[in-house]
DNA sequence: GTCTATAATATGATAGAC
DNA sequence: GTCTATCATATTATAGAC
């Protein structure tokens, strides 16, 4: 496996992805040109096509990787017994995961409409699956008499929106630590479904 | 004030705004061309510039109008005495207002990053003012002993995110009426801040 | 693996005819 | 008030040199 002079395939690929993620998050997919991405990486525009089939693939791969990471991390959650502990753990997990990668979260949500139909379907399906995980917890809590909600589906959507909303205002250099934020939001999530803590 | 044949200034202006709003919501500001908007309206691209200074003004005017309408509607809310009733009324107002104009809400949030700096500042200031109205309610509720929250600012952000989240899934032809949704969400909002209903 | 050059096309905005 | 034509520029993506 001889390496040619000037070859950087192991490093350039990830740098392109990082630059694209940052630029897409800041200006939006449609507003960012391949030349901007190339400039950020320090290569010419043509070189990008050695690492991605086209601009759309670049976006899709970023969103797909984000969702893959989300599920991978979710599987690491230690199992707990009662629904209240489950919801508490999920809330804390969701906040920790999302707060740590604001750009990816932003792109995953904001750029859905810029995905071509079949790519959109794939990402939507993954998002649906993730929400179903939370809905399961809510439903089990209701069945066990631990939660009081008028509608499990609506409660699930309300919880997801509330928890993900942290990303709109949280700053690492703000007045609160990630831990404090997670504590407070987990409590509000529990309250929202009428759980006693 | 003679009117020339073929003059439609009274009707074309609003139609341009409507078309732009729909297209911006569906595809994003950066992805929509002036020619697309013109085609939707049924005029040539050049004619758009009789009604808007440029593409950026078109976006800003849409967002500004949306925020103006929001405040106008908020002022119509009948005053109530206790903080619990105030929060209940605000939650119902917020959902009703946002659920009725999904495109404007979507654009107002998603296209913030495509506003030029001074336009961005103006819209952000209005958004901040709206959030402050809710924060006031939360704070008064805490002082009155009606709510139990760890932090008023975080509770406010959590409530706004939860309530606005309705727009991500609500469809007029769905299984629930707007009234049912408002009832359920208002209840969850009250729960979240530990209010007894 | 990266560059330069370029094809093919789209863009925002304006000028001038009607 | 609207249209056609156009300017000046930017876009994605590819071909071929090194």
């Amino acid at each position: 496996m001889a390496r040619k002079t000037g070859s950087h395939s192991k490093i350039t690929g990830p740098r392109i992805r990082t630059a694209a993620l940052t630029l897409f998050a800041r200006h939006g997919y449609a507003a960012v040109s391949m030349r901007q991405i190339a400039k950020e990486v320090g290569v010419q525009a043509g070189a990008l096509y050695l690492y991605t089939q086209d601009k759309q693939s670049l976006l899709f791969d970023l969103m797909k990787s984000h969702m893959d990471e989300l599920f991978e991390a979710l599987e690491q959650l230690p199992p707990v017994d009662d629904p209240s502990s489950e919801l508490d753990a999920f809330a804390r997990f969701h906040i920790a995961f999302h707060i740590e990668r604001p750009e990816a979260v932003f792109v995953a949500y904001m750029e859905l409409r810029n995905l071509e139909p079949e790519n959109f379907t794939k990402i939507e399906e993954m998002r649906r699956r993730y929400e179903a995980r939370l809905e399961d917890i809510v439903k089990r809590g209701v069945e066990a008499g631990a939660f009081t909600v008028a509608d499990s589906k609506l409660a699930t959507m309300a919880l997801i929106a509330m928890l993900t909303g942290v990303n709109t205002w949280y700053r690492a250099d703000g007045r609160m630590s990630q831990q404090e934020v997670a504590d407070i939001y987990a409590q509000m999530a529990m309250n929202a479904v009428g759980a006693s803590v």
Side-chain angles (χ1 to χ4, degrees), chain A:
Chain A
M1 293 237 233
R3 192 88 63 80
K4 288 180 197 161
T5 319
S7 165
H8 302 290
S9 70
K10 283 291 181 324
I11 187 82
T12 304
R15 290 189 60 214
I16 289 172
R17 292 167 52 87
T18 303
L21 181 65
T22 299
L23 288 170
F24 289 167
R26 195 166 320 171
H27 307 293
Y29 172 76
V32 172
S33 70
M34 294 299 266
R35 281 171 179 77
Q36 271 178 278
I37 298 170
K39 188 176 179 183
E40 187 78 11
V41 175
V43 297
Q44 291 297 314
L48 297 182
Y49 292 88
L50 292 166
Y51 300 93
T52 184
Q53 206 194 329
D54 51 23
K55 196 185 172 191
Q56 171 72 200
S57 298
L58 196 46
L59 175 63
F60 175 69
D61 290 345
L62 288 171
M63 293 175 71
K64 172 74 161 53
S65 299
H66 174 67
M67 295 307 291
D68 285 340
E69 277 178 45
L70 177 63
F71 281 108
E72 229 172 275
L74 184 61
E75 302 312 327
Q76 307 297 320
L77 265 192
V80 285
D81 254 2
D82 64 305
S84 287
S85 304
E86 252 189 310
L87 178 56
D88 183 71
F90 184 95
R92 289 169 189 279
F93 160 77
H94 186 92
I95 287 185
F97 184 88
H98 286 73
I99 227 171
E100 272 164 17
R101 34 179 79 65
E103 291 179 335
V105 171
F106 201 66
V107 168
Y109 176 61
M110 305 282 269
E111 304 301 349
L112 279 171
R113 63 187 172 185
N114 284 311
L115 287 174
E116 286 164 10
E118 69 186 302
N119 288 338
F120 176 82
T121 305
K122 285 177 193 156
I123 300 294
E124 264 305 288
E125 158 66 12
M126 296 178 87
R127 178 183 303 272
R128 208 196 48 69
R129 251 172 56 214
Y130 181 72
E131 289 170 1
R133 292 288 287 262
L134 176 56
E135 195 176 350
D136 275 353
I137 296 175
V138 172
K139 280 179 173 164
R140 280 202 301 277
V142 171
E143 281 165 21
F147 304 158
T148 307
V149 303
D151 185 277
S152 294
K153 181 69 186 169
L154 264 64
T156 301
M157 298 310 284
L159 288 173
I160 293 260
M162 182 173 94
L163 296 173
T164 308
V166 170
N167 275 46
T168 63
W169 59 265
Y170 178 82
R171 300 291 172 263
D173 59 354
R175 70 183 166 98
M176 277 195 189
S177 72
Q178 191 177 315
Q179 181 64 54
E180 287 172 301
V181 172
D183 286 344
I184 293 172
Y185 267 78
Q187 178 63 62
M188 289 192 288
M190 301 290 270
N191 285 353
V193 299
S196 41
V197 190

